[in-house]
Structures are given as C-alpha cells and as structure tokens.
Amino acid sequence: MEVIKNYINGKKINYSNEFLDVYDPSTGEIISKVVLSNNKDFSKTVESSFNAQKQWSQVTPLKRSRIISNYKVLIQENIEELAKIVSREHGKTLDDAKGSVTRGLEVVEFACGIPHLLKGEFSNNVGANIDSWSMRQPLGVCAGITPFNFPAMVPMWMYPIAIACGNSFILKPSEKDPSCSIKLAELFTKAGLPDGVFNVINGNKNIVDQIIEERNISAISFVGSTNVAKYIYEKSAMNQKRVQALGGAKNHLVVMPDANIDQAVDGIIGAAYGSAGERCMAVSVAVAVGEIADELVDKIKLKSNELVVAPWTTNDADMGPVISKEHKKNIENLIQSGVDEGANLVVDGRNVKIQGYEDGYFIGPTLFDHVLPTMQIYEKEIFGPVLSVVRAENYKDALNLVNNHEYGNGTSIYTSSGQVARNFTTDCKIGMVGVNVPIPVPMAFHSFGGWKNSLFGDHAMHGKEGVNFYTKLKTITSRWPENINVGAEFVMPVN
Ligand code: NAD
C-alpha cells in the first residue's frame, strides 16, 4: 500500500512509524496511509526550514520571482495530474478539481510580481537634511494548516506569497487528502526552489500543537472549522505568533422580487451543490424575499433533480461524494433534525445509491423550504449538499438575517435595482459580497477573508493583505550631516 510521507529538505521522508488511513470517498476503500509525524519529524522540519530561510531571505526578490515563474509553468504542465490527485482523495469532479488548482495557480502568478509590493515608501526631508523610508522584511519561518476541501487551492493561498516575500514555509495539510501537497512541493523543488524553503509535514492535532508552540515559527495561517480556528488564534497569540485563522461559513444568497429568477436559480444550484456543498463559499441559505418564494423553490427543485451524482471518474458528474463516512452521517443527522423541527423537506438526498459504489459517501442534493432561524439546519454549518430556503417579507428582514448570523464569510444578492444592491453591499456585515453573481471567491490580486466567526485575525489571505501578513514593516530615519554637530537634544524633535 502507498505510504504518504513528509517532504523535508527536498526529500520524501518519515521518522514516525504511525499512520492514518486515507480513503477514496467514492468507494469507501482505503487507498493509502499517511504518516502521523512524531517529534523527530517535526524537529527535522523546523531545523531545515530555519536554516533554509536564512539563505533564502538573501536571494534577491527578482531571483525569487524567477523561480516562482518556473513553478507556474510546471503547475500548468501538471494540472491534469494534480487535479486527479485531488479528485481521488477528495471525491470532487475532475473539472471542479482542475478549476480549484487553477485558482491556486493564480496566486502563484500574483506572487511572480511581488517585488512590486515589497517596495517601501520614501519621504525626502522629513526634517532638515533628514530622510525617512520604509521597507517590508520577511518574518522567518511561517506555517500553514489547511482543510480537506481544497487540498491544492487553500495551501496555494499561503505558501507562494510567504515564499515570494523571503520566508520559508511549513505546510501541515489535511490528513484526509494529503497527497497533493507533496506533489506541489516536489514541483517547487524542480522549479529551482532551494531545499527546505517549502517543507510539508503530515499529521493531526499533535503536529498543529507543536507548530503553535515552536519558537522558531513566526506566523501561522490557518483555514478550517471555526472551533479549531478560534483555538489556533488564541493559542498562537499566547505564543506571540502572528496569526490569521479562517473558519466556517453559512453563506446567504438573497433573491429580491425584481431579480432575474433564472439567473438566481442557476447561481444557487451551482453554488449550493457544486463540490457536494463542501466549499466555504457554498450557498447554504437562499433568502426568498416577498412573492418570489414559491417560484424560486419550484425551479430549484426541478433543477436539483436533474443533477448527476457520481464518482469523479464519471464524465458527466455534477457532484461527487462527501469526504468521509462520519461526515455523511453528520449531514444525514442534520437533515433529520430539519424534518423533526418542522422544515419542509422538498428534495431528500439521503438514500442515493450508485451501482458499483454502494459504500461511497454519496448524498444527493437536498432542499428545505420554510426554514426558520431557530432550526439547527439554519444555525449550523452543514458543509454538505443541503440548501435551506428562508422566506423573508422584505429587504430589511433579509438583511437582518444575513447580519445576525454568527458567520460572515460570503453573501450575494440578486436584484435589478442598483439602489438595493448598493445598500446591501454597504450594509451587510460580511467579508465577500456578490451582486447578481453566486458567492464570489476574490481573485488572487484581491484578498480572501470573511468577518465575524469566519475569520480571526487582522489580515485576509493573498493580494496585498497576504504580503502585509508575511512581512514586517521597518521604518528608517536617517541623516548624513557634513560637519554639523547639533549636540544632545532633550525634547521631542519637531519640525
Ligand atoms: P478542520 O478544522 O477539521 O481541519 C482543518 C485543519 O486543522 C486540518 O489540517 C486538521 O488536521 C487540523 N485540526 C483538526 N482538528 C484540530 C484540532 N482539534 N486541533 C488542532 N488542529 C486540528 O476542518 P476540515 O473539516 O478539514 O475543513 C472544513 C472546514 O473548513 C469547514 O468548516 C469550512 O467552512 C472551513 N473552510 C473555511 C474556509 C475559509 O476560507 N473560511 C475555506 C475552506 C474551508
């Protein structure tokens, strides 16, 4: 059986002999084993990252960028293989996996131009013959801890930027689909990245806790569930680390009575059920405003019944399985809670059976109508193909729903009124907002991050926010006087 090791100092290696099973979610079969790293794996990783960073920070930003440009080409050349690795362990369709690798690749493209963003600011003559300027310098060793749902894209939000800024990076990927990270690291070495600048260590909470406590790691980027995000944020701060911790989501898509309903339905179907709802930007709540609700529910029902639920190896699959047997059970329990609490189950995705894949973790599209804010299916992040329709009387009620939910990752509004759209984008307490588009994932040159319980920390990911997160600011004030001796000064210098 294949063993997935760590990637330390340019080599696949493991010191621990403990392993976790990795499953194919389409069949429920064990397909490989991933190492559960021990203290020695960890100390070797940190030693390698610490030594490599000292050299890497001395490489000029332009030379660093050239290596990242080589990496970009290698990812493009290997995109099919990377997507297959993602689909095999995650279960999402091949096209969806390819799309997600491409979104990661866009961050690599952005990172090629980072020398531009590392420029400081300069002021001539802040005092007589005194100049002042600033520069951004790398932090040292940075670490990333990532979730199962985007095994290529989410790590790529982090390490290309950290590395382009002169840091080294340790990635701790999800233990559920760890293979893609190793392939991404191998390709970076092939592109010319010095050994140790990008290391991958596999494991679970044990390694995460060591990362948090390690004094030679300066910063942690985390993406995952909210409880773990809070834990990482609090513990990292206690250990004096810079931290950005992105958590869960419950994204609302508001449909106004004046919306183009077919556009809204297409937006909802793709965003609610794509990747089996396992996206932090999935639409999990459709807020139907006013008299549009009945038509909206009928049309979603019709389209959701047409979706093809199948393993990723099937060409026409619209959505695959969820990640694990336990997760499938959790989703099914939440669906049952919706029924028990009185929501109207319009489409029931339980009991989907696919011939030859009876042990796969499949759940079909599920649709609830008449969901109330007090129900568990509304309050909790389900992270599966379950859409709740909540009926609101008017725009104000819809906005209140969006703003009163504990999560604040993404939201969208479908309307033909510019004024309503403008009010919504201004007044919603959400990090990423769409107008007449499904919940939008910002491009690499903008930044990704939610509000409220969807992000703990000061910086979103990638774009300028990423550069600021992975660098520290230094401001210099300098004078080169010729034969001037001003003597000691005992008052605050002013102009
Ligand atoms: P998770 O929180 O279970 O795991 C994420 C990472 O944390 C993994 O690497 C895991 O090994 C580690 N981990 C798990 N439990 C831990 C613990 N108790 N202590 C320390 N580390 C721990 O998340 P997941 O199930 O892999 O991913 C799904 C979640 O991620 C969803 O909640 C989803 O909304 C969220 N997510 C958020 C974003 C975003 O941008 N906000 C993006 C993708 C996914």
Side-chain angles (χ1 to χ4, degrees), residues 486-495:
V486 290
E489 292 179 37
F490 295 97
V491 292
M492 284 295 292
V494 290
N495 264 306

Side-chain angles (χ1 to χ4, degrees), residues 144-150 153-154 157 172-177 203-206 208-209 212 222-229 231-232 245-250 278-281 323 327 381 383 407 409 432 448-450 454-455 461:
I145 300 152
T146 52
F148 77 82
N149 66 325
F150 284 110
M153 182 183 83
V154 170
W157 285 350
K172 203 303 279 173
S174 169
E175 58 276 34
K176 297 190 179 106
D177 45 16
N204 53 15
K205 179 172 164 45
N206 172 37
V208 172
D209 285 338
I212 295 171
F222 172 84
V223 176
S225 55
T226 285
N227 283 346
V228 183
Y231 169 79
I232 302 242
L246 278 60
K250 190 82 180 177
E278 290 176 326
R279 290 183 184 141
C280 59
M281 292 298 260
I323 189 69
H327 191 44
E381 178 183 43
F383 220 56
Y407 293 111
N409 219 36
M432 295 168 282
F448 185 106
S454 297
L455 190 154
M461 298 219 169

Side-chain angles (χ1 to χ4, degrees), residues 57-293:
S57 64
Q58 300 306 308
V59 175
T60 63
L62 204 56
K63 285 191 177 147
R64 295 198 298 246
S65 281
R66 289 194 185 118
I67 292 172
I68 296 168
S69 299
N70 296 341
Y71 187 44
K72 165 182 137 48
V73 174
L74 285 174
I75 292 172
Q76 280 164 329
E77 286 171 2
N78 287 274
I79 200 155
E80 293 286 335
E81 190 188 341
L82 287 164
K84 275 186 191 155
I85 295 172
V86 169
S87 290
R88 183 166 175 253
E89 290 179 354
H90 178 282
K92 64 176 82 181
T93 67
L94 203 53
D95 282 345
D96 191 26
K98 232 186 276 178
S100 72
V101 179
T102 305
R103 294 307 300 263
L105 174 65
E106 287 164 6
V107 182
V108 175
E109 288 169 338
F110 170 78
C112 294
I114 273 183
H116 177 64
L117 293 173
L118 292 176
K119 287 185 303 190
E121 296 175 314
F122 180 87
S123 296
N124 189 227
N125 275 341
V126 291
N129 294 317
I130 297 177
D131 301 330
S132 188
W133 73 92
S134 63
M135 61 171 88
R136 301 207 71 96
Q137 293 188 312
L139 304 178
V141 182
C142 301
I145 300 152
T146 52
F148 77 82
N149 66 325
F150 284 110
M153 182 183 83
V154 170
M156 289 164 97
W157 285 350
M158 306 171 180
Y159 69 82
I161 298 198
I163 288 172
C165 291
N167 303 285
S168 59
F169 198 90
I170 299 173
L171 173 64
K172 203 303 279 173
S174 169
E175 58 276 34
K176 297 190 179 106
D177 45 16
S179 294
C180 189
S181 300
I182 302 290
K183 180 72 191 173
L184 286 167
E186 282 182 298
L187 289 176
F188 222 161
T189 301
K190 208 170 157 194
L193 190 74
D195 290 347
V197 177
F198 183 35
N199 289 326
V200 180
I201 184 156
N202 281 304
N204 53 15
K205 179 172 164 45
N206 172 37
I207 288 299
V208 172
D209 285 338
Q210 295 203 42
I211 288 174
I212 295 171
E213 280 159 26
E214 170 58 51
R215 70 185 170 84
N216 283 322
I217 295 177
S218 306
I220 298 183
S221 301
F222 172 84
V223 176
S225 55
T226 285
N227 283 346
V228 183
K230 262 190 205 163
Y231 169 79
I232 302 242
Y233 179 67
E234 289 168 6
K235 288 269 285 194
S236 301
M238 279 167 66
N239 285 275
Q240 295 85 46
K241 286 187 184 10
R242 189 175 283 204
V243 56
Q244 51 180 181
L246 278 60
K250 190 82 180 177
N251 303 311
H252 292 49
L253 187 150
V254 176
V255 187
M256 294 297 292
D258 63 357
N260 177 327
I261 193 160
D262 292 323
Q263 268 181 16
V265 169
D266 283 342
I268 289 170
I269 288 284
Y273 302 127
S275 201
E278 290 176 326
R279 290 183 184 141
C280 59
M281 292 298 260
V283 170
S284 41
V285 178
V287 183
V289 180
E291 70 271 17
I292 206 167

